[in-house]
Amino acid sequence: MNLVRALVLGVLQGATEFLPVSSSGHLVLVPWLLGWESPGIAFDAVVHWGTALAVIVYFWEDWVSLVGAALRSLRDIGSPRGNPGPDAAELSRRSLAWLIVLGTVPGVLAGYFLEDFFERMFGRPIVAAAFLLVTAALLAVSERIGRRERELRELGWVDVLVVGIGQALAIFPGISRSGSTIAAGLVQGMKREPAARFSFLLATPIILGAGLLKVVELGRMGGLLTQAPILIAGFVAAAVVGFGCIHFLLQYLQRRRLYPFAVYCALVGIFSLLVSVVR
């Protein structure tokens, strides 16, 4: 893969990681449709890491608050009884921090136990195309049945596990991580913008972890230096474009629905399936 293709795929990753249209599906289908060689799991992981940087930078105040709240909750476990307890705002931050940890568990377990299976799926464009249709269905159904009444602070552990399972399903290429988690939030009665915000926060730890593991693996194989320019180009492009797309989607969902993204996923999935038949 040359530098120009790395930039194109990095931009593609940044644009599709946070928009609910499946970045992994696009990273499988676009090279296949254009006749490019597959970027590989290492490149996919590094550009995902770029989008993780984007979400950390965008929500840096939230992350400082959440990490601090989690650490204080651990500190207070061994503190003497009778000390003044945390106020309502602090309790809310602590709760959200540990709910993010809980919601990450299904994705971690799926990635750990089914890693080889999911990696094989990345070599099958027809699978990615079919799962784009699943993403389209998830978006349309959740938009249709979601009550859109609840705020982020009203989430409980059952709600978070449902969203976490949605994130675990997004390991399949073609199922959008943001799409499946936002859809799960809407099904739990959340409003669109809070559902998207929680989706982005929940995605950060698992994207960072997966990217780090793949970079370490590539380094052990001795291919990190030779691929460094390509990986850096993809990383930077994904981070910059991803930052812009986070802002766009949060603004968009305050007033608009998910149906256009569902239609897009359906059209791309159907087109890719037709191309696979013709070929």
Side-chain angles (χ1 to χ4, degrees), residues 7 20 32 69 86 97 101 132 143 167 176 213 227 229 235 240 249 258:
L7 286 170
W32 172 70
V101 173
L132 272 176
E143 186 64 63
Q167 179 165 255
S176 166
L213 288 175
Q227 297 188 48
F235 173 86
V240 172
L249 189 63
L258 293 169

Side-chain angles (χ1 to χ4, degrees), residues 72-86 94:
R72 288 190 294 273
S73 70
L74 292 175
R75 179 200 62 193
D76 289 351
I77 292 176
S79 63
R81 294 183 179 181
N83 290 345
R94 293 183 182 187

